[in-house]
Amino acid sequence: MKTILITGANGYLASYIMKENPQFNWIKMTRKDADFSDPEAVEAFLNTQTFDICFHTAANATTALCEENPEMAHKINVESTQKVIDACKKNNARLIFCGTEQSFNGKIERGPFKEEEPVKAVTVYGQNKIECEKLIHEQLTDYIILRYSWMMGLSFEGIKASPSILKNVMNALITGVPTLFTVNEKRGMTYAKYLAKQFDKIIELPTDTYHVSCTNDMTTYEAAKYVAKKLGASDEIIEKIILPNNERYADRFRDYRLDNKKLASFGITFGTFEDNVEDALKDFGWLK
């Protein structure tokens, strides 16, 4: 049985993956064990652990907070990742690193982007993740970098879901509060279950970088309207509650979409955005 140390173990994606993969021996690393804003504390905890794989999900992914405090973001996202790399070298362990579509948010070209496409980020968070990837390439030979699209799901069994297109649309419809959704943006929006159910295959992949994303041709605003329609909202309600944000990214259309063909070549697929929404809503009882 493989022993997997998982950082950020209380997060939604980490929790979902552990729930769907009980066949592994999981070592859960949370903020109680070490705060990732303190790299020395991270190092001290990791020095007490023995593992075969480190699944590194811990990060500060909140764009606004990273922009407001770039030094703190660097400690959490980069300097503590270096401590994770050091621990992997010490244990002769494989690192599975959580990258992001935001590594492409500075690109002028439109996606979907292949793994080999040069990265470019205009946000602190995206730049942090690019720096981490560079450190991994330079120091490790056994790793998997997973660049995620926007992952989505709903809360269950004490596990609180992260913000997603599903949660945002549901909150808007339930509260009746008109909510803006970006027009000048396209991105993958992938049901977390698709990753969790295929995690056992993913950890056996050859060392490389892989894109985790469904396929999607909708803008975020179009996707929000689609979700609202699937939830049974009338055209009148959608027009009042699901509003277009035409100002955000008006200077330059953002296309963060990730090409997923590399993983598909290994039989690991994520379907279409429509498939993902349908499955998620069915699984959580919102569709019959």
Side-chain angles (χ1 to χ4, degrees):
M1 178 188 294
K2 286 188 173 67
T3 295
I4 304 178
L5 184 144
I6 184 167
T7 69
N10 287 337
Y12 184 72
L13 192 58
S15 300
Y16 209 150
I17 286 172
M18 285 188 287
K19 175 180 179 293
E20 294 291 341
N21 294 275
Q23 72 272 30
F24 300 117
N25 176 36
W26 294 98
I27 300 173
K28 300 178 184 178
M29 183 178 180
T30 70
R31 190 173 296 175
K32 290 181 180 179
D33 299 304
D35 193 319
F36 268 70
S37 64
D38 183 352
E40 284 67 36
V42 171
E43 179 180 29
F45 175 79
L46 291 174
N47 281 340
T48 68
Q49 305 300 315
T50 302
F51 50 89
D52 304 303
I53 296 171
C54 177
F55 183 32
H56 182 29
T57 78
N60 186 335
T62 305
T63 301
L65 292 179
C66 290
E67 296 296 325
E68 290 168 6
N69 196 336
E71 291 184 3
M72 183 63 69
H74 195 268
K75 283 184 178 295
I76 296 169
N77 295 333
V78 181
E79 294 172 38
S80 285
T81 293
Q82 178 61 64
K83 302 303 184 183
V84 170
I85 292 171
D86 293 340
C88 286
K89 288 190 286 188
K90 178 183 174 183
N91 282 275
N92 195 27
R94 162 165 274 202
L95 173 61
I96 302 182
F97 176 73
C98 295
T100 175
E101 63 181 4
Q102 299 301 320
S103 294
F104 295 100
N105 66 25
K107 301 285 282 186
I108 296 173
E109 304 87 347
R110 296 287 185 100
F113 296 107
K114 295 182 182 295
E115 287 84 350
E116 298 74 23
E117 180 81 19
V119 291
K120 183 179 181 181
V122 293
T123 60
V124 169
Y125 175 62
Q127 291 163 355
N128 285 169
K129 287 294 187 177
I130 291 172
E131 186 175 353
C132 288
E133 288 191 18
K134 186 172 184 291
L135 294 174
I136 292 167
H137 287 306
E138 290 173 346
Q139 300 177 56
L140 296 178
T141 57
D142 189 11
Y143 63 83
I144 295 173
I145 294 172
L146 301 174
R147 292 189 188 130
Y148 298 128
S149 67
W150 193 9
M151 305 303 286
M152 62 183 180
L154 297 172
S155 301
F156 63 97
E157 299 175 13
I159 300 173
K160 184 179 180 181
S162 304
S164 70
I165 193 75
L166 291 179
K167 283 191 68 176
N168 294 349
V169 171
M170 284 180 173
N171 288 340
L173 295 177
I174 291 170
T175 62
V177 176
T179 304
L180 292 167
F181 293 88
T182 308
V183 171
N184 302 306
E185 170 188 84
K186 283 187 179 181
R187 61 196 303 191
M189 290 168 271
T190 309
Y191 184 17
K193 184 181 85 169
Y194 284 58
L195 175 64
K197 290 285 191 182
Q198 300 177 96
F199 183 77
D200 58 338
K201 296 179 184 178
I202 288 172
I203 65 172
E204 299 295 339
L205 289 167
T207 291
D208 210 341
T209 299
Y210 300 92
H211 286 170
V212 175
S213 180
C214 68
T215 58
N216 174 48
D217 289 324
M218 299 184 196
T219 66
T220 300
Y221 170 59
E222 291 167 341
K225 290 196 296 181
Y226 178 83
V227 171
K229 196 72 174 176
K230 292 297 290 185
L231 287 167
S234 66
D235 291 340
E236 182 181 6
I237 291 295
I238 292 172
E239 187 175 348
K240 289 181 180 178
I241 302 298
I242 308 300
L243 305 181
N245 186 341
N246 291 296
E247 294 183 5
R248 191 178 188 218
Y249 303 150
D251 61 323
R252 176 173 60 82
F253 192 98
R254 296 323 199 254
D255 189 343
Y256 307 145
R257 290 176 299 162
L258 303 174
D259 185 292
N260 56 24
K261 293 186 182 65
K262 185 184 285 188
L263 278 180
S265 72
F266 290 94
I268 299 169
T269 58
F270 300 92
T272 66
F273 171 68
E274 293 90 338
D275 294 333
N276 282 238
V277 170
E278 182 96 5
D279 284 353
L281 294 181
K282 280 182 178 177
D283 285 349
F284 288 91
W286 289 87
L287 286 182
K288 303 241 179 169

